[in-house]
Amino acid sequence: MSQLPPPGARHPDGATPVSPQPPEPPGELRQDPFSGHWAAITTGRAARPEAFLREDAPPRGPLGCPFCPGNEHMTPPEVWADRDPGAARADGPGWRVRVVPNKFPAFAGPPAPSEAGLYRAAPATGAHEVVVQSPDHFATLADLPEPDAARVVAAWRQRLAVRRDAPLGAAVVIVNQGRLAGASLEHPHSQLFATAIRPDLVAAELERLGRHDCAACAVLNKERGGERVVADADGLVTLCPWASAAPFEAMILPDQHLSRLGDPGGPEDLAVARALAGLLRRLDAAAGPRTPYNLVLHTAPPRTDDFHWHLHLLPRLTTYGGLELATGIIVNVVDPDHAAARYADAEAAAQREVSGS
């Protein structure tokens, strides 16, 4: 049986052996009060910023882009648009925000009966729309002037309102910004998905975010004024969730129990746009320029009126491995307290730059 050399002994090649490092202490498992999902906050595995995933490919540019002005014929006919005064012709230039059906929809058509039994199935009915956020091929939500970003928020609100009383299980708005976040087209855009079924995540949040014992209201009461709050203005609170499932994850939610964008007494489109654009600019400063991300807007599902709407920001700086696929537990290598501090530093640096100090 081999024996360990005594302390201070030299290796046969003359090198002093390096003592094995003790293992880092494990992180902490945290359960998200909104969904019930678990996240492992593993600060001992904290990734260096340079180890994060990055968008390295050069921009592809507007040539042949179906979302650029003049190429309206390359998309299905628009279903809604915010147009310049005098630009009344549909499916032509002059729009500021344009909504079209997805050319390759994931969900389409009226609800249909589902099959019961061991292999349950249902037609992929519902709706799938694209919100082209600006005529500018390169302008993300962080780049748009606040009034233009507010037009995007208004488009989300309008298109969700169309489904408010429809026989659907869910209607959500998402943004995939960057190839690593799933964007197949470079021109910044949002998507609306409406599904006949109610997905598990939507059902879980609906159960937890009703007015009686609302988890979102409880989180606001606990977090407001604390270190994980990034911003608090105009009836909106931006914070890094205690059970963050991604590095630099953040959430925007109204400080009142409001079911949908545009509810009476709630923040206006401009306030939502201001909060969102401010957060996205902080993300680029805190995590690096061109950070890929997903946005997910959850409002009350169709034919329901008791909910607390919220907007998730999920940066795509890491990828899932076997543990996530095997258990559903997502490993996050950036503690939300640290993420919030980085966001605060980014805001302070921006203010110093503006003041010239």
Side-chain angles (χ1 to χ4, degrees), residues 13 20 49 54 63 75 105 111 119 137 144 150 159 171 206 217 219 255 284 291 299-300 331 339:
D13 63 5
R54 294 294 176 192
L63 182 64
T75 70
Y119 294 126
H137 181 86
L144 292 177
R159 299 314 297 167
L206 183 61
C217 291
V219 165
D255 61 9
D284 276 352
T291 295
T299 66
V331 175

Side-chain angles (χ1 to χ4, degrees), residues 206-217:
L206 183 61
E207 180 181 347
R208 289 170 167 82
L209 300 185
R211 185 174 299 277
H212 174 68
D213 201 25
C214 172
C217 291

Side-chain angles (χ1 to χ4, degrees), residues 72-351:
E72 291 83 3
H73 63 283
M74 298 176 67
T75 70
E78 65 192 43
V79 295
W80 186 89
D82 181 333
R83 293 186 166 277
D84 295 326
R89 185 173 69 84
D91 299 313
W95 51 272
R96 296 176 290 197
V97 180
R98 186 167 182 258
V99 183
V100 299
N102 193 296
K103 194 172 182 178
F104 306 100
F107 305 95
S114 61
E115 298 177 10
L118 176 62
Y119 294 126
R120 296 180 61 192
T125 56
H128 185 180
E129 296 178 348
V130 177
V131 180
V132 187
Q133 296 168 175
S134 163
D136 188 331
H137 181 86
F138 297 105
T140 68
L141 285 168
D143 302 322
L144 292 177
E146 287 180 0
D148 291 341
R151 292 186 178 99
V152 177
V153 175
W156 297 345
R157 177 173 49 77
Q158 295 265 7
R159 299 314 297 167
L160 287 168
V162 169
R163 274 88 191 182
R164 179 166 182 163
D165 298 317
L168 295 164
V172 299
V173 172
I174 64 100
V175 176
N176 299 333
Q177 184 58 51
R179 298 184 200 184
L180 293 174
S184 57
L185 290 173
E186 185 176 75
H187 195 127
H189 60 282
S190 322
Q191 298 180 73
L192 181 144
F193 293 91
T195 61
I197 60 134
R198 179 156 293 159
D200 290 345
L201 177 57
V202 174
E205 289 200 347
L206 183 61
E207 180 181 347
R208 289 170 167 82
L209 300 185
R211 185 174 299 277
H212 174 68
D213 201 25
C214 172
C217 291
V219 165
L220 283 169
N221 289 335
K222 186 173 183 64
E223 296 285 350
R224 207 164 188 185
E227 294 182 351
R228 283 185 289 270
V229 171
V230 176
D232 188 344
D234 301 323
L236 293 163
V237 178
T238 303
L239 55 84
C240 291
W242 173 76
S244 294
F248 297 100
E249 178 183 351
M251 178 184 296
I252 299 172
L253 64 167
D255 61 9
Q256 303 177 61
H257 187 83
L258 299 170
S259 298
R260 293 178 171 87
L261 289 173
D263 274 0
E268 298 181 351
D269 297 339
L270 183 61
V272 177
R274 183 180 299 120
L276 177 56
L279 174 60
L280 294 176
R281 286 192 288 267
R282 287 187 182 97
L283 174 65
D284 276 352
R290 297 184 67 201
T291 295
Y293 61 80
N294 298 109
L295 293 175
V296 179
L297 173 62
H298 281 166
T299 66
R303 298 190 294 177
T304 61
D305 289 309
D306 190 5
F307 194 70
H308 198 133
W309 75 261
H310 52 282
L311 181 64
H312 298 271
L313 168 64
L314 296 160
R316 297 297 293 272
L317 294 165
T318 56
T319 188
Y320 290 167
L323 175 66
E324 286 85 353
L325 298 175
T327 65
I329 297 173
I330 299 176
V331 175
N332 179 10
V333 297
V334 176
D335 187 283
D337 292 60
H338 175 70
R342 290 282 293 273
Y343 279 135
D345 290 344
E347 176 65 10
Q351 291 178 350

